[in-house]
Amino acid sequence: MKITKPRLALIGGILCISIFPILVKLKLAPGLISAFYRMFFAVTLLLPYVLLTKNFKIPNTKFLLLAALCGILFASDVAVWNIAIQESSATQASLLTNLSPLWVGIGSFFFLKIRPATNFWIGTVVSLFGMITLVGFSFFMELNFNQAFLFAVLSGILYSIYLLVSKNVLSQVDVLSFMTISLLASSLYLGILCLALNEPFTGFSNTGWFVLLLQAVICQLCAWLSISYATQHMRATRVSLSLLSQAVITSILAWLFLEEQITLQMVFGGIILLFGIRITFYDKTISLKRLFSKN
């Protein structure tokens, strides 16, 4: 597989977002206010840079509104996922959120009139099997269908819509301008929501503030500048499926820093998951008819 700049950007972005569930699991701030500060600190750092370097370009009204919509979609995704993690488990929330490749594939087919390649569907099935193996079949069968469950599923749907809409916007708008507009919309939307729900904007420990800043710099700016660049140059279906690999990296980080156990089953599931992602990057279309036909 040829390593190109978009693929390198995607790998870097995945590494950056993989630490996010670890930081959320610390529960140093409420889920909703954590999502707000992630966006607010990120745009506070990005806005002066794009203005001073004159890298900010206002697109036409249509794409300006679509970029703002992306910000609201992504902010909603992060908010409900934070709540899902804190009200259930990071494993359940991650599993359900990572069903997003299915929604992206279906959305591409019905709304963008793009028929996902055979390799995508094969890779999706293999990767989801790997994901289920990673968390355990018994755990998957015992999912609790409560508010946290619904929020996690909603997070995956919002995330897939975000990827599809952003793919359209990034065909006409540069990454820095897109991120700036998106983050401004996210911050405003979440700020109003937090005010309406009486969320606490202060009173966190020094460690809590540091973690909030870390989420903004690493999990938002570094991660999504890289992923947006990859989305601009790659298929949205391929990007969404590749993001499943964050589950493997997060498991390793949880083992290193939270002392969570890694079993042989988890290792096996991770290998299957990564193999499924690799299938989608295979240049030649896999023919199931030829694969199962007799020689």
Side-chain angles (χ1 to χ4, degrees):
M1 180 175 67
K2 185 179 179 182
I3 300 297
T4 60
K5 286 184 179 179
R7 289 177 180 178
L8 282 173
L10 181 58
I11 292 169
I14 289 169
L15 291 173
C16 289
I17 61 174
S18 296
I19 69 169
F20 182 66
I22 307 299
L23 299 177
V24 173
K25 193 66 178 175
L26 296 175
K27 295 185 179 180
L28 297 174
L32 195 58
I33 203 71
S34 175
F36 164 73
Y37 276 117
R38 171 175 167 173
M39 307 302 168
F40 178 73
F41 285 154
V43 76
T44 301
L45 294 170
L46 181 62
L47 189 58
Y49 171 78
V50 295
L51 292 177
L52 288 172
T53 58
K54 298 180 179 179
N55 281 316
F56 180 66
K57 299 174 183 176
I58 301 177
N60 62 44
T61 304
K62 174 186 175 181
F63 287 101
L64 177 65
L65 293 175
L66 284 175
L69 175 61
C70 284
I72 294 172
L73 287 169
F74 187 75
S76 301
D77 163 38
V78 173
V80 297
W81 193 45
N82 282 7
I83 296 170
I85 290 174
Q86 294 187 346
E87 291 191 2
S88 60
S89 69
T91 304
Q92 175 174 309
S94 296
L95 171 64
L96 295 170
T97 297
N98 282 320
L99 292 175
S100 58
L102 290 176
W103 313 129
V104 172
I106 294 169
S108 295
F109 181 79
F110 285 105
F111 299 108
L112 298 183
K113 306 303 179 183
I114 299 173
R115 186 184 296 273
T118 303
N119 292 12
F120 167 77
W121 293 115
I122 296 173
T124 297
V125 172
V126 174
S127 293
L128 290 177
F129 178 76
M131 176 69 71
I132 295 170
T133 304
L134 181 70
V135 301
F137 291 95
S138 60
F139 179 86
F140 184 77
M141 296 298 292
E142 295 170 3
L143 286 176
N144 187 10
F145 294 86
N146 53 15
Q147 177 179 285
F149 176 93
L150 295 175
F151 272 15
V153 173
L154 178 60
S155 173
I157 295 172
L158 289 168
Y159 182 52
S160 62
I161 297 172
Y162 165 81
L163 280 177
L164 292 170
V165 177
S166 66
K167 175 66 177 176
N168 182 30
V169 178
L170 286 165
S171 66
Q172 301 294 326
V173 182
D174 67 276
V175 172
L176 286 174
S177 298
F178 167 76
M179 283 292 294
T180 303
I181 297 167
S182 174
L183 284 171
L184 282 169
S186 294
S187 301
L188 182 62
Y189 165 70
L190 287 173
I192 294 172
L193 195 59
C194 288
L195 280 172
L197 296 175
N198 295 316
E199 290 287 320
F201 285 86
T202 58
F204 312 122
S205 65
N206 291 334
T207 304
W209 285 113
F210 176 73
V211 167
L212 291 173
L213 184 61
L214 201 62
Q215 288 182 29
V217 175
I218 304 298
C219 305
Q220 187 61 41
L221 279 182
C222 294
W224 287 98
L225 283 171
S226 300
I227 293 171
S228 293
Y229 175 78
T231 303
Q232 190 176 45
H233 296 88
M234 297 170 65
R235 292 193 294 270
T237 49
R238 180 174 285 180
V239 172
S240 68
L241 192 57
S242 297
L243 291 173
L244 284 179
S245 61
Q246 68 175 284
V248 178
I249 302 169
T250 298
S251 297
I252 295 172
L253 292 174
W255 171 65
L256 289 173
F257 298 107
L258 301 180
E259 298 182 353
E260 292 188 6
Q261 185 181 9
I262 292 182
T263 64
L264 185 61
Q265 176 181 311
M266 293 173 69
V267 173
F268 185 57
I271 292 172
I272 296 173
L273 189 154
L274 293 174
F275 177 68
I277 294 171
R278 177 64 183 90
I279 289 174
T280 68
F281 283 86
Y282 188 59
D283 293 327
K284 294 182 179 179
T285 301
I286 299 173
S287 173
L288 293 177
K289 183 179 180 180
R290 193 186 317 126
L291 192 63
F292 293 105
S293 63
K294 295 181 179 179
N295 295 324

